[in-house]
Amino acid sequence: MKPYLKEHPWSIIEEGFDQTKHEISESIFSIGNGHMGQRANFEETYTGASLQGSYMAGVYYPDKTRVGWWKNGYPEYFAKVLNATNWIGLKLVINGIILNLNTAKVSEFKRELNMKEGFLYRAFTATLENGDIVTVEATRFVSITMKEIGAIEYKVTPVNFDGEIEITSFLDGDIINSDANYDEKFWAEVNQTATDNKALVTVKTKKLDFYYTSKMQTFVDTDGVNIEPTTASTREKYADVVFHAPLKQGKTTAIYKYAANVTNRDHAHDVLEAVATAKLTDAVSIGFGALKSAQKDAWDKKWQDSDIVIEGDVSAQQGIRFNIFHMNQTYTGEDARLNIGPKGFTGEKYGGSTYWDTEAYCLPFYLATADQNISRNLLVYRHNHLEKAKENAQKLGFTKGALYPMVTMNGEESHNEWEITFEEIHRNGAIAYAIYDYVNYTGDKDYIGELGIEVLVEISRFWEERVHYVPRKDVYMMHGVTGPNEYDNNVNNNWYTNRIASWTLDYTLQSLRDLKETDPSLYQQWVEKLHLQPEETTKWEDIIDKMYYPVDENLGVFLQADNFLDKEIMKVEDLDSKHLPLNQNWSWDRILRSCFIKQADVLQGMHFLNHEYDLDTIKRNFDFYEPMTVHESSLSPCVHSILACQLGYQDKAYDMYLRTARLDLDNYNNDTEDGCHITSMAGTWMSVVQGFGGMKVIDHDLHLRPFIPGKWDSFSFKIVFRGARLNIHVTQQHIEVTNETAVDTAVKIFDETVHVGGNETVSVKTK
Ligand code: BGC
């Protein structure tokens, strides 16, 4: 698709209204605050194609599973993030005509996502069917400082006429999910009221009893004169208040709508309506202007910790800030019950549930840009689901251990494609790896003794039972698995899965040893609580020693799986481009038989366990696998970009970075209308910080090995590391590290230790 958004360092700007792009923009311009989110739907009536979407984190529905052929072990349902009460709605009737951008003539249209201050702005001029012309300016945000509050300022000015406007400000809880399996409505009526300028709708999910109350208050004034509402009405799951205001040519009618959206996830259900009233009263007394400036201050703080500045390339600057903005909108880490859905609050696809994407791709972003507790909460989330993961393993016939689900909302498996649900078990390794990553980055070893060890032991027990011993070869193998490359499934001995399994066993044993040494009594408590037997740890050692890894000595590469080399080996560049993307042009059968790779697989291992492999090994594997990789998962390019940086393949690194840097802004995969690729946005951040910045933590030392893409004048990124906040500025000549805190710190730049005292800047030459 031809890019249609204007380049700007801090804003996403759409000028001119193209209805065919509206649903894409609805995703891109979404707003969220970690607690709830809203697609960039119009407040006023719009009868063109649109996905009305308002989502509340953690409120989901168990939609009955739909599969062609049932397999034992499939989950009964797929947990879906729920599209909830539309709180933004305003119906405007101007001199008898409904304002509707699908029927009016639209000019001067501008939509802007202001990422610096965290709000959505829209302006347009509409010529109605009778020739009346109005201009509209609308601003809205969901508040970061008051998580349950959304606020709208909507201004209408008649250009060429006097007349009357009827304004219906409403709450509509009769909402359906666009992806419901059986077109079922998930919400049931509870209560609706409307009096004066206030209205309330409480609905509840038909299953699981999530109660959801929205309460709104609306104010209207024309040219500064307050207008009283004329009527208020309700019907099932709906409530509104209606105003009639005079319109005078050139004089503005301003509407202020505040909404509190509260659920029984956070408050007892019998006090929900009272809570909504109290929150709404607070928000109204603060007022739109003050709420908006608090929003700006809150975003200032977020940018202070997580901004990346790219000089000399506005398009790249806009792309990376867009990604950081959405990451910060999606997960704020205060609530350990929440996680990061691949589409965040921007759409319904993927059910809004948790995937291994969180541990493998998102965690590094939060580790380096936010308070330690925020990433810790991502680990606690999995700890809270441990019992469910144990049940999941039992359901599949294991006698012990934990298998975390491929997709989940509440710890139970939601996924239902056997070759993924039952076989893509490498996800368990990513969850163990995340504990390592967290401890390695933060130095918070206590986490292992507090919660981490329990997760590690149960995952290790799963691996112990999932491998099988092959006596004639004296090795352990793992058959019937799917690696990260879903274009080759149900394979034997996927190198990455075998490797991450064995690595987990090793890390678990090492963590147990460390705990025994540092806190013997805590160690003993865990041994008892987990009924850990010496035979188990002995078996784990044996598996580590005798794990089978497919390799090809001639090529010097690890094999993605047994018999990988028996496939017809070819490069993507040798394919006619008409075949790409394969997933849209080839049958599934043809994809599976081919050598083509969806996303990093062996190379995912080289990325995670980078410290275990020398450069030559990484290079041989990269040179072998990357040319066969089609990167048809948006999670793929970042891993390749980071490894390419390490190998000095600067053009390749930049090329890979570009593939996701503006994935949604340029609708690269032609699917942004479904929602933005939130988890791959974290990958783009990794490409810049871990790739171009070369940031790594090895043995408690922060390492940097930056290089700067030729197109850029400079780039800088912020990271928080062990109490210090550093701003790393890389130009073609220098690397400057500014310590923005008083905490003395040291950084290894190209392996040389550089001390950066509190509030100091140190500069070294770029290599
Ligand atoms: C990828 C998975 C990923 C999922 C959700 C799939 O296309 O292959 O690795 O977990 O998307 O992002």
Side-chain angles (χ1 to χ4, degrees), residues 342 350 355-357 406 424 484 486 598-599 632-633 635 679:
Y350 291 111
Y355 287 65
W356 75 304
D357 304 25
M406 186 67 198
E424 208 175 323
E486 293 171 352
K598 180 182 183 187
Q599 68 199 90
E632 288 179 13
S633 160
L635 299 175
T679 49

Side-chain angles (χ1 to χ4, degrees), residues 43 87-88 90 139-140 150-154 255-257 288:
E43 287 86 357
W87 60 270
I88 64 168
L90 294 172
T139 302
R140 77 165 179 254
I152 301 170
E153 177 189 70
Y154 195 100
I255 306 162
Y256 290 91
K257 178 170 181 175
F288 187 87

